[in-house]
Amino acid sequence: MKQSICFWTVSHPMYGLGGAEVMTYQYASEFARNGWRVFFFTKSGVKITDDFDDKHIEVITYSKKNSLRIYFKFFRLMIIEKINVVFFRNNTIALGVLALFQNLLNYKLIWSVKHDDKCGKYASTEKLRKYWNESIPILKRVKYFLMDKVFRYGVQHAHIILAQNNFQKDTIFSVFKKSSIINYSSTHIPCYNLKRENIILFIATMKDFKRPHLFCEIAGEYSKSSYNFKIIGKNFIDSKKSITLLENMKLNNVEYLGQLELEEVRQYLDKSKLLINTSSAEGFPNTFVQAFSHGVPVITLGVNPDNLIDNYNLGFVCKNKNSEVIQKINLLMEDKNLWNNYSQSCYNYSKEHLDITKNIKILMNIFLKQAI
């Protein structure tokens, strides 16, 4: 029987379109292309397309209304399909539950870490980290404390942990005394496009730590320039934050393109000159991977996994200063030769290190040797 893998995802991989969804969708496609049986276990109420049928990927959906039914449906899938590997990329108590049953149902659990502040103590809930300094009901303290214990059990008993950078690897070992494997996200490397427009992009699913308002502030400094500042990504779920951001975009002449499918995002990257990242914390952002593969340098306010941006001339790290970001934008946009050098560095780095057709074979060998 073929080897099999199930990706448990919170959002549908084709339509969540955050970094985690993009990564898991591309991994799943490559696993299927290499002969594995591939399943997605994801919440219902999402759009399903024939794209998965073409790649022999089966999608099983669940409702979030009843946790017991979710686990029953998942374990039934494990038994019927005899799945070898479960790939989980989230920080919830489900990690602990999956770890608890892996020996009984004969699968191996792979935990893939999200961004940097989700790999340490109390990573299972942001609320818990605030509770020790706040006056809250004792029952809530107990509830989230127990949730964290279940999550920690999952980390301790995951068969393989995939970290996105050395910081995550070191933190996981320090907190949990567990070894992990660094696994940078990968993508398909397109042909290099010489024709570029003065487009400066911000790509993210809007959350507080992504800090899109800073991108708007930076764009506001260029109201009289020919540069086109554009935001791609799903807006805040909170309606007030969503409206505020839309108003901020309009005020600062930022074009909002909304949530786009992956191929549309790639088309914009292919003709853009810069990607701006304003996040307070990340792992190895999938937006970086996509940008580098299209030869787009990145200017970031601090996110710099393993100092790759500095070491390989992939852009600039500005240490949380908008003024420095503006200075670096001017430098790259006004000096064509300098931009070409950084663009080629990005493209060459991606061909050498981020090619999914090469990296997926490494990941498969790790799974076959250590998890099957």
Side-chain angles (χ1 to χ4, degrees):
M1 182 180 288
K2 292 181 178 180
Q3 304 295 348
S4 54
I5 184 169
C6 178
F7 293 85
W8 182 321
T9 63
V10 175
S11 300
H12 189 278
M14 279 294 288
Y15 297 96
L17 289 183
E21 289 81 17
V22 170
M23 183 197 78
T24 52
Y25 170 67
Q26 292 188 113
Y27 279 2
S29 297
E30 288 299 311
F31 271 95
R33 193 175 65 82
N34 281 272
W36 287 51
R37 293 187 303 130
V38 180
F39 301 82
F40 267 103
F41 190 70
T42 187
K43 68 180 179 181
S44 59
V46 296
K47 185 178 179 182
I48 307 294
T49 72
D50 293 334
D51 194 35
F52 284 96
D53 296 329
D54 296 338
K55 294 182 174 66
H56 307 290
I57 299 173
E58 184 174 346
V59 179
I60 297 92
T61 61
Y62 62 84
S63 171
K64 292 186 70 175
K65 294 180 180 179
N66 190 314
S67 296
L68 290 178
R69 286 184 180 179
I70 293 173
Y71 291 121
F72 177 80
K73 192 170 187 177
F74 177 80
F75 294 139
R76 184 173 179 270
L77 173 67
M78 296 296 103
I79 294 168
I80 293 174
E81 299 294 343
K82 295 181 171 57
I83 290 171
N84 305 115
V85 176
V86 174
F87 188 101
F88 188 78
R89 194 183 190 213
N90 215 320
N91 295 66
T92 67
I93 61 171
L95 181 69
V97 177
L98 296 179
L100 183 64
F101 282 89
Q102 64 178 331
N103 290 333
L104 178 64
L105 298 179
N106 199 30
Y107 62 82
K108 301 301 182 183
L109 177 62
I110 314 297
W111 180 47
S112 179
V113 185
K114 295 177 75 173
H115 50 78
D116 287 356
D117 65 355
K118 291 283 187 180
C119 64
K121 192 176 182 181
Y122 305 139
S124 58
T125 171
E126 295 178 6
K127 293 179 181 178
L128 184 62
R129 284 178 280 174
K130 302 175 183 178
Y131 278 1
W132 310 117
N133 298 319
E134 296 180 4
S135 176
I136 57 110
I138 187 65
L139 289 179
K140 280 193 175 182
R141 281 183 185 265
V142 172
K143 172 187 173 182
Y144 285 103
F145 179 79
L146 292 175
M147 285 174 62
D148 190 71
K149 287 294 184 183
V150 175
F151 168 77
R152 289 167 68 88
Y153 176 88
V155 176
Q156 293 287 352
H157 292 85
H159 204 75
I160 296 174
I161 298 175
L162 300 178
Q164 294 191 60
N165 54 49
N166 279 301
F167 172 82
Q168 292 186 358
K169 182 181 175 72
D170 294 342
T171 302
I172 290 165
F173 185 79
S174 174
V175 174
F176 301 106
K177 304 299 183 236
K178 287 279 290 185
S179 298
S180 57
I181 299 167
I182 293 180
N183 174 59
Y184 294 152
S185 294
S186 305
T187 192
H188 296 284
I189 311 300
C191 294
Y192 184 82
N193 182 30
L194 292 171
K195 296 179 180 179
R196 303 285 174 151
E197 300 175 23
N198 288 332
I199 296 174
I200 299 173
L201 288 177
F202 178 93
I203 306 172
T205 299
M206 305 309 151
K207 298 178 181 178
D208 289 340
F209 75 90
K210 300 284 186 178
R211 304 190 296 187
H213 65 282
L214 295 180
F215 178 77
C216 293
E217 291 175 9
I218 292 164
E221 297 294 322
Y222 292 90
S223 58
K224 296 181 180 180
S225 78
S226 61
Y227 304 159
N228 298 312
F229 288 80
K230 301 178 187 291
I231 287 182
I232 297 174
K234 185 178 180 180
N235 207 338
F236 286 102
I237 296 175
D238 184 285
S239 59
K240 289 184 179 179
K241 291 180 180 179
S242 175
I243 293 170
T244 299
L245 180 58
L246 289 172
E247 292 173 346
N248 204 352
M249 292 180 199
K250 186 176 181 180
L251 181 65
N252 291 286
N253 296 312
V254 175
E255 182 182 359
Y256 180 49
L257 301 173
Q259 184 176 9
L260 304 179
E261 293 191 15
L262 179 58
E263 188 54 40
E264 294 175 288
V265 176
R266 286 172 171 159
Q267 289 172 11
Y268 272 101
L269 282 166
D270 210 38
K271 60 185 179 182
S272 297
K273 283 193 172 179
L274 295 176
L275 176 76
I276 308 297
N277 179 282
T278 58
S279 298
S280 59
E282 297 270 8
F284 193 126
N286 196 272
T287 52
F288 285 19
V289 176
Q290 300 299 328
F292 297 154
S293 71
H294 288 271
V296 177
V298 172
I299 300 177
T300 167
L301 275 172
V303 173
N304 186 16
D306 295 341
N307 296 314
L308 293 176
I309 291 177
D310 297 321
N311 294 341
Y312 290 90
N313 293 324
L314 307 176
F316 293 102
V317 183
C318 297
K319 298 180 181 178
N320 286 309
K321 292 182 179 180
N322 283 9
S323 58
E324 191 176 350
V325 173
I326 293 166
Q327 178 188 356
K328 299 305 182 185
I329 289 174
N330 294 340
L331 183 66
L332 286 174
M333 295 294 282
E334 293 171 7
D335 189 331
K336 185 176 180 179
N337 290 332
L338 183 65
W339 181 88
N340 282 333
N341 290 338
Y342 274 87
S343 178
Q344 286 297 328
S345 293
C346 292
Y347 189 67
N348 292 336
Y349 176 82
S350 68
K351 287 197 298 183
E352 180 69 24
H353 299 283
L354 304 177
D355 186 348
I356 196 169
T357 57
K358 295 188 297 185
N359 292 349
I360 202 69
K361 290 180 171 59
I362 298 172
L363 197 61
M364 286 178 185
N365 286 334
I366 292 172
F367 289 1
L368 288 170
K369 290 178 180 179
Q370 298 189 31
I372 298 177

